[in-house]
Amino acid sequence: AAFSTALSQTPSISPISSEGREDLQVNRLETQIWIKPDTQKTDVDFSEILNAIQEIAKDVNIFFDELEGVNSPSKDDDSLLHHGNLTSTSDDASRLEVVGEEVPDKNKTNGLYFRDGKCRIDYILVYRKSNPQTEKREVFERNIRAEGLQMEKESSLTNSDIIFVKLHAPWEVLGKYAELMNVRMPFRRKIYYLHRRYKFMNRIEKQISRFRGWLPRKPMKLDKETLPDLEENDCYTAPFSQQRIHHFIIHNKDTFFNNATRSRIVHHILQRVKYEEGKNKIGLNRLLSNGSYEAAFPLHEGSYRSKNSIKTHGAENHRHLLYECWASWGVWYKYQPLDLVRRYFGEKIGLYFAWLGWYTGMLFPAAFIGLFVFLYGVTTLNHCQVSKEVCQATDIIMCPICDKYCPFMRLSDSCIYAKVTHLFDNGATVFFAVFMAVWATVFLEFWKRRRAVIAYDWDLIDWEEEEEEIRPQFEAKYSKKERMNPISGKPEPYQAFADKCSRLIVSASGIFFMICVVIAAVFGIVIYRVVTVSTFAAFKWALIRNNSQVATTGTAVCINFCIIMLLNVTSETLIIFFTEQPRTESEWENSFTLKMFLFQFVNLNSSTFYIAFFLGRFTGHPGAYLRLINRWRLEECHPSGCLIDLCMQMGIIMVLKQTWNNFMELGYPLIQNWWTRRKLRQEYGTQRKTSFPQWEKDYNLQPMNAYGLFDEYLEMILQFGFTTIFVAAFPLAPLLALLNNIIEIRLDAYKFVTQWRRPLASRAKDIGIWYGILEGIGILSVITNAFVIAVTSDFIPRLVYAYKYGPCAGQGEAGQKCMVGYVNASLSVFLVSDFENRSEPTSNGSEFSGSPLKYCRYRDYRDPPHSPVPYGYTLQFWHVLAARLAFIIVFEHLVFCIKHLISYLIPDLPKDLRDRMRREKYLIQEMMYEAELERLQKERKERKKNGKSYHNEWP
């Protein structure tokens, strides 16, 4: 009975040859002979005999697998292949049913198990019969079975050339590799304790809780009844050990390791299995790169839709639960179930969504303050002295803004633009710029604390990355030179220092060349703006002719956006080519990430930098304009200033880019998957499509991006830069980012759950190189906002006028009454007869006063034409310039001091978390000691009961 029980618990045995049967008889005789001497003893320990029999049966099974691999000429034949029949029963299933165990029919038909209905599919490999790499697959699959993995093959229902290889890891294999990989598993329930509180604090807490009882329940929290009890979050965990297996909470061996952990263990095995003779002919990644296998992925846990409501019938599986509680649009206002995301997709993807949710939450105060600044501009619009003077300046005639075709214009014609400029450039702008610089620091510092809490909850505190394998490209290029690896002690390919330096120089030169291409594109946009202003000024339509500068800016921004997206698409291949050949995959990813971000950042923001800091700054003055290639006159700012151009640039680019990214992230996979389903529906009908197994459905989904989460992080980091770098010019940027991110979270969730194959669950402690990039953007934002306030906006000229030249000069006041006469003081006078021949307008301005104009005005601080030095800079110009430089220095130093003070005051690790970690470490040591002592005492009692005793025993 013990022997039959042991055989029933061992993995299923495949059909064997006659030689195998003879070997089996020999091994059975050896088993009997080995058992007989022990049965002669007076004291029989049947548990030890049973364990020995199980080990022998296990060895017999492994022997048969190896024997089958040697005897069979090809593993791609039909010996393990089932041609799409999901309901027939295999030999393994029949053997298991003989023992008397019933297999649910649902397991046989849902596509998540082997044909026996018991062995859960942990991993899928896909290849084509017509692929010539047959021999490599044979050796690889033979070695997979030698590692203890069980295998089953099935042909596709839609294409007989496609073969699916289903892999299952038995308990013994999972336990062995979980111990090698230091997988942390739950072993004891957590003990929660409360800190001692003073009576006064308890009374305050009671009053607060009573007040909260009057308020409605928090709508953003998920319903706890719909979420499963995630045991590993309520238990202390420790690295799995087979010797101390009795310490761990094991209710069911089939569910002790969750599906994500099982697939990660199987992938770990596949990465270390050889497929050919040679020291580096190893791993699944190389077989995927050389085309031996077409795809490799873990399975989704069934369908994400269900006919029954999750509230009444519960979730069908974790995928269905994630769809209802996370990816559905109906829960857009709720918190994310991060523990479920981590359990299903792994820690790396869970950390991305945790960071995205934290960033979105931190955008709420920034969006609120930005909206407040905008509304402050709206409410104070009627009280703004500058916009009043602009709207009432009907007698001030401005000089033409372009050559010949642009007419003279009244300053009052730009009344609308002056009011719009006040909405963004008002007294609260400086405060908002300081707030956003501090906000960026607070965001990063508190993210450190949030990441520490997540790392603690997800058992990532003590996790260290494994030694990575060498990239195949690096190995192929530098296989001639070798040196000893200081960690593994094995020889590996080596890249000489001179070669590394030369490649770095080539890589840097390539990126510099690509950045020069971007600058050339911006130069082309500048020429377009210069030429188009004159063209629109002579346009037939009065609407475009009267708003020629706005039309020029709008069309230039749209063309610039098209160029940005075109360069982004073409840059990926070039950056891959220019990226040097690092040793490991993570080093290559960091190098690629840095170069790709640098290029796309310059590509996205170069035209914005031009408008913010160069537009209208180096144009000269009427009669002596500076020209591009001595031909085109450089573009001037609008009479109301350059800030309106910067706002248009940021608003249009931000809206168009976010819309395009959302379409490409979700719309493109939706269209591809819809087209695939349409072809299947036309060929096989709707009924046949619904009966497809899970591996067939997942294979028809889109694979995850080749660079993992790179595109998702890049999009959000660029948005973070756009939100912080020029936020002084566009206070509504955080609000637009917040609205986009609320949609982005659900779009990404929907994409991961429904449109993509299930990615491999991988671990990570933080967001990697992206955190350093965020810190760099935070530093750059302080500098750019200082220059935007000092150079682009009129904040400093107004301040200088109020304190030095206005009606309140010397009184220490700077209210609206002190700005009377500011518009007239900021405009200089030009004699119309001093125009160059190629700049002289076609009209003489007689339509304004009935006679030709003698003088016109322009924005600058210059002397009048009849002064001793005509058109020279006035003293007010130098005062404004000095004030601008002083403001930049003071602003930067003040904000940097605040940033460093905040980063110093906010610890990276919360105090309560530090205490919890120390207490947990202490409790784990106590629990392990108690469990070990209990086991030893139990063994001692059993030995005494059986009459066995040993001298000098440890207690």
Side-chain angles (χ1 to χ4, degrees):
F3 187 74
S4 62
T5 304
L7 286 180
S8 66
Q9 292 176 355
T10 56
S12 56
I13 301 175
S14 304
I16 57 175
S17 59
S18 58
E19 295 90 344
R21 293 192 184 94
E22 295 174 359
D23 293 332
L24 176 59
Q25 295 173 359
V26 172
N27 279 298
R28 281 178 178 170
L29 290 173
E30 292 176 356
T31 302
Q32 294 173 359
I33 295 170
W34 185 81
I35 293 173
K36 269 188 177 181
D38 283 341
T39 57
Q40 302 295 329
K41 293 181 180 180
T42 58
D43 299 320
V44 181
D45 192 344
F46 289 101
S47 61
E48 294 181 2
I49 295 174
L50 182 58
N51 292 335
I53 292 173
Q54 289 177 344
E55 291 296 326
I56 292 171
K58 177 182 171 183
D59 295 338
V60 170
N61 185 41
I62 295 174
F63 172 76
F64 287 149
D65 286 339
E66 294 176 351
L67 183 65
E68 183 185 5
V70 173
N71 292 336
S72 60
S74 172
K75 287 297 164 192
D76 286 343
D77 59 8
D78 297 337
S79 61
L80 296 174
L81 185 60
H82 307 293
H83 297 281
N85 186 3
L86 300 178
T87 58
S88 62
T89 308
S90 63
D91 295 335
D92 297 341
S94 63
R95 290 193 194 94
L96 290 170
E97 289 172 1
V98 168
V99 179
E101 299 179 4
E102 295 182 1
V103 179
D105 294 334
K106 184 180 179 181
N107 289 355
K108 296 181 180 181
T109 58
N110 61 7
L112 298 176
Y113 291 82
F114 275 19
R115 294 164 59 82
D116 60 9
K118 288 191 172 184
C119 298
R120 187 176 187 91
I121 300 173
D122 297 322
Y123 213 80
I124 291 290
L125 303 177
V126 186
Y127 69 89
R128 293 182 180 270
K129 282 184 178 180
S130 56
N131 190 285
Q133 305 282 353
T134 305
E135 186 176 351
K136 293 180 180 179
R137 284 197 305 271
E138 291 176 11
V139 178
F140 186 71
E141 292 172 6
R142 191 182 306 135
N143 291 330
I144 287 175
R145 287 192 295 275
E147 288 290 337
L149 296 181
Q150 296 178 10
M151 182 186 304
E152 192 174 74
K153 294 187 179 181
E154 188 127 3
S155 60
S156 173
L157 295 175
T158 60
N159 187 350
S160 59
D161 188 43
I162 297 177
I163 306 299
F164 295 97
V165 181
K166 298 174 284 185
L167 301 177
H168 167 75
W171 169 259
E172 293 80 5
V173 176
L174 291 173
K176 172 185 174 183
Y177 280 95
E179 187 172 358
L180 291 175
M181 296 169 63
N182 289 323
V183 177
R184 300 182 69 91
M185 301 303 295
F187 75 93
R188 190 67 62 89
R189 286 279 180 181
K190 286 186 178 179
I191 302 173
Y192 295 99
Y193 67 97
L194 297 176
H195 295 284
R196 294 185 63 184
R197 301 278 187 180
Y198 294 102
K199 292 182 178 180
F200 177 73
M201 295 299 296
N202 288 334
R203 290 174 184 173
I204 293 178
E205 289 180 357
K206 286 181 181 179
Q207 295 296 328
I208 292 175
S209 61
R210 183 180 301 175
F211 176 73
R212 286 178 177 174
W214 299 339
L215 300 176
R217 294 182 179 180
K218 294 182 179 179
M220 293 184 292
K221 284 193 174 182
L222 291 166
D223 186 7
K224 293 183 178 180
E225 296 179 357
T226 61
L227 294 176
D229 181 22
L230 300 179
E231 189 173 69
E232 59 265 31
N233 293 334
D234 296 326
C235 297
Y236 295 115
T237 60
F240 183 76
S241 172
Q242 290 180 315
Q243 293 180 351
R244 298 180 176 180
I245 196 171
H246 51 280
H247 294 172
F248 296 91
I249 304 173
I250 304 178
H251 301 302
N252 186 354
K253 288 186 177 181
D254 294 334
T255 58
F256 179 64
F257 296 104
N258 60 44
N259 296 330
T261 304
R262 295 174 69 101
S263 62
R264 186 158 56 92
I265 291 174
V266 173
H267 182 79
H268 177 87
I269 296 172
L270 296 179
Q271 290 296 93
R272 285 153 180 80
V273 172
K274 282 196 171 186
Y275 62 86
E276 202 173 44
E277 289 299 327
K279 61 180 180 179
N280 292 315
K281 305 295 184 180
I282 185 174
L284 176 63
N285 285 347
R286 288 182 171 85
L287 289 176
L288 289 171
S289 61
N290 63 27
S292 298
Y293 287 100
E294 190 171 299
F297 52 89
L299 286 180
H300 277 295
E301 298 181 8
S303 175
Y304 63 90
R305 294 185 183 275
S306 177
K307 297 179 181 178
N308 302 320
S309 172
I310 191 174
K311 294 182 178 179
T312 57
H313 293 75
E316 297 286 338
N317 49 64
H318 280 136
R319 189 186 186 193
H320 178 217
L321 183 63
L322 279 173
Y323 178 76
E324 294 290 340
C325 298
W326 183 47
S328 176
W329 291 106
V331 294
W332 65 269
Y333 59 93
K334 291 185 177 292
Y335 293 129
Q336 299 183 84
L338 293 177
D339 291 326
L340 273 178
V341 176
R342 172 246 182 169
R343 182 186 183 119
Y344 194 83
F345 292 110
E347 286 80 1
K348 193 171 186 178
I349 294 176
L351 269 174
Y352 163 70
F353 282 103
W355 175 84
L356 181 57
W358 183 257
Y359 171 44
T360 304
M362 289 293 291
L363 279 174
F364 273 96
F368 176 77
I369 299 298
L371 184 62
F372 170 78
V373 171
F374 179 78
L375 294 178
Y376 174 80
V378 173
T379 55
T380 58
L381 184 60
N382 295 328
H383 305 285
C384 179
Q385 181 64 31
V386 176
S387 59
K388 281 182 181 180
E389 290 186 0
V390 171
C391 294
Q392 296 171 1
T394 55
D395 56 338
I396 297 179
I397 308 301
M398 302 297 294
C399 298
I401 59 175
C402 67
D403 292 338
K404 297 201 175 197
Y405 299 106
C406 291
F408 295 98
M409 59 179 293
R410 286 189 175 93
L411 180 59
S412 59
D413 293 342
S414 61
C415 175
I416 296 177
Y417 303 115
K419 291 181 177 180
V420 173
T421 301
H422 177 74
L423 299 180
F424 302 102
D425 184 14
N426 51 62
T429 304
V430 178
F431 161 74
F432 186 57
V434 175
F435 170 81
M436 286 303 296
V438 174
W439 173 87
T441 303
V442 172
F443 162 66
L444 293 177
E445 291 300 322
F446 275 95
W447 165 246
K448 287 182 184 178
R449 296 165 61 87
R450 174 63 176 159
R451 187 206 64 82
V453 173
I454 291 174
Y456 169 77
D457 291 337
W458 292 356
D459 290 323
L460 299 172
I461 295 292
D462 299 324
W463 178 77
E464 296 293 339
E465 293 188 22
E466 301 175 357
E467 177 68 13
E468 291 188 81
E469 62 180 14
I470 301 174
R471 297 181 71 238
Q473 297 87 340
F474 181 87
E475 178 188 345
K477 190 167 186 65
Y478 301 105
S479 58
K480 295 181 180 179
K481 293 183 179 180
E482 290 185 348
R483 72 172 181 181
M484 297 294 289
N485 187 314
I487 298 174
S488 64
K490 298 178 181 178
E492 65 178 19
Y494 166 68
Q495 182 182 12
F497 180 75
D499 183 75
K500 185 182 293 185
C501 290
S502 61
R503 286 193 167 274
L504 283 174
I505 293 173
V506 172
S507 176
S509 302
I511 299 300
F512 179 74
F513 167 75
M514 296 180 68
I515 292 176
C516 290
V517 172
V518 173
I519 295 174
V522 174
F523 184 75
I525 294 294
V526 172
I527 294 178
Y528 168 83
R529 295 172 68 105
V530 169
V531 174
T532 312
V533 168
S534 301
T535 305
F536 283 158
F539 214 72
K540 295 181 180 179
W541 296 348
L543 179 64
I544 296 179
R545 186 173 61 250
N546 296 334
N547 300 277
S548 59
Q549 197 162 12
V550 176
T552 300
T553 302
T555 55
V557 172
C558 294
I559 294 173
N560 184 29
F561 173 75
C562 295
I563 294 175
I564 287 172
M565 301 312 297
L566 181 63
L567 289 176
N568 285 346
V569 171
T570 57
S571 65
E572 186 174 314
T573 305
L574 291 174
I575 290 177
I576 291 175
F577 175 77
F578 285 124
T579 301
E580 61 273 11
Q581 293 289 347
R583 176 179 167 273
T584 62
E585 195 68 30
S586 62
E587 292 176 0
W588 185 89
E589 286 181 3
N590 289 339
S591 178
F592 174 77
T593 298
L594 186 60
K595 293 177 177 59
M596 195 73 175
F597 166 77
L598 183 63
F599 172 79
Q600 293 213 15
F601 179 81
V602 174
N603 186 28
L604 180 65
N605 295 288
S606 55
S607 56
T608 311
F609 270 90
Y610 164 75
I611 293 174
F613 304 128
F614 297 97
L615 179 63
R617 307 284 172 236
F618 309 101
T619 57
H621 62 87
Y625 286 117
L626 298 178
R627 297 184 178 272
L628 201 63
I629 322 178
N630 199 25
R631 180 178 179 182
W632 294 297
R633 170 183 162 185
L634 290 176
E635 187 181 6
E636 289 186 38
C637 291
H638 197 272
S640 298
C642 294
L643 200 66
I644 188 67
D645 294 321
L646 184 58
C647 292
M648 288 183 62
Q649 171 82 13
M650 292 188 63
I652 294 175
I653 291 291
M654 198 168 185
V655 172
L656 289 180
K657 193 172 189 308
Q658 291 179 349
T659 304
W660 175 259
N661 287 338
N662 290 335
F663 169 75
M664 291 302 295
E665 282 189 6
L666 185 63
Y668 185 65
L670 273 174
I671 293 173
Q672 286 185 314
N673 291 333
W674 170 81
W675 183 254
T676 302
R677 291 194 299 269
R678 181 176 178 273
K679 290 195 299 183
L680 294 175
R681 196 181 301 114
Q682 289 177 349
E683 294 180 10
Y684 302 98
T686 308
Q687 298 297 327
R688 186 65 181 275
K689 177 184 173 294
T690 56
S691 64
F692 283 166
Q694 189 63 42
W695 57 81
E696 193 99 30
K697 295 177 183 178
D698 287 5
Y699 178 69
N700 291 326
L701 295 177
Q702 298 302 310
M704 190 177 175
N705 294 334
Y707 308 113
L709 295 168
F710 171 79
D711 290 337
E712 279 71 22
Y713 273 118
L714 180 64
E715 177 187 355
M716 289 296 102
I717 299 300
L718 290 175
Q719 183 207 81
F720 177 81
F722 222 66
T723 304
T724 55
I725 291 178
F726 294 104
V727 74
F730 191 57
L732 293 179
L735 180 62
L736 293 179
L738 174 63
L739 297 176
N740 174 79
N741 287 6
I742 293 174
I743 300 173
E744 179 76 21
I745 291 175
R746 305 304 162 181
L747 280 181
D748 285 348
Y750 184 84
K751 175 178 61 179
F752 272 93
V753 173
T754 67
Q755 301 302 311
W756 279 1
R757 296 173 189 163
R758 185 177 183 177
L760 180 70
S762 55
R763 310 199 82 190
K765 294 182 68 172
D766 49 32
I767 60 176
I769 194 175
W770 295 111
Y771 186 83
I773 294 175
L774 286 171
E775 286 187 324
I777 291 175
I779 295 173
L780 181 62
S781 67
V782 176
I783 301 172
T784 53
N785 282 307
F787 274 90
V788 166
I789 295 172
V791 178
T792 310
S793 74
D794 289 337
F795 174 77
I796 297 300
R798 293 175 187 174
L799 209 62
V800 171
Y801 178 81
Y803 283 101
K804 183 69 178 176
Y805 297 96
C808 304
Q811 300 178 11
E813 298 181 9
Q816 291 297 326
K817 63 179 182 179
C818 301
M819 298 303 297
V820 176
Y822 167 75
V823 172
N824 186 60
S826 63
L827 299 176
S828 299
V829 180
F830 177 72
L831 186 63
V832 174
S833 59
D834 291 341
F835 266 123
E836 299 173 306
N837 292 332
R838 52 182 174 178
S839 298
E840 189 174 356
T842 53
S843 64
N844 57 7
S846 57
E847 63 271 17
F848 294 105
S849 59
S851 60
L853 284 176
K854 292 184 178 180
Y855 300 99
C856 64
R857 309 293 293 273
Y858 62 98
R859 282 174 56 93
D860 208 344
Y861 297 101
R862 292 183 181 270
D863 292 324
H866 303 294
S867 61
V869 182
Y871 308 118
Y873 286 118
T874 62
L875 183 62
Q876 188 175 356
F877 169 82
W878 299 109
H879 285 164
V880 169
L881 181 61
R884 282 173 168 168
L885 294 177
F887 175 82
I888 291 172
I889 295 172
V890 172
F891 182 89
E892 288 182 358
H893 283 71
L894 176 64
V895 174
F896 278 131
C897 288
I898 295 175
K899 285 169 67 72
H900 284 91
L901 179 63
I902 291 175
S903 62
Y904 173 76
L905 293 177
I906 300 176
D908 295 344
L909 203 65
K911 184 180 182 301
D912 59 339
L913 177 61
R914 188 183 297 110
D915 294 340
R916 285 165 58 192
M917 291 171 60
R918 291 174 179 172
R919 177 169 176 79
E920 179 174 334
K921 186 176 181 180
Y922 168 77
L923 289 176
I924 287 175
Q925 291 175 351
E926 291 292 319
M927 291 173 186
M928 297 293 283
Y929 172 76
E930 290 175 2
E932 192 67 22
L933 185 61
E934 182 180 351
R935 183 184 67 85
L936 291 174
Q937 290 176 349
K938 186 177 180 181
E939 290 180 358
R940 185 180 181 184
K941 290 179 181 179
E942 289 180 356
R943 289 195 184 101
K944 287 182 178 180
K945 186 184 295 185
N946 296 329
K948 297 179 180 180
S949 60
Y950 299 95
H951 297 288
N952 299 326
E953 283 187 331
W954 287 95

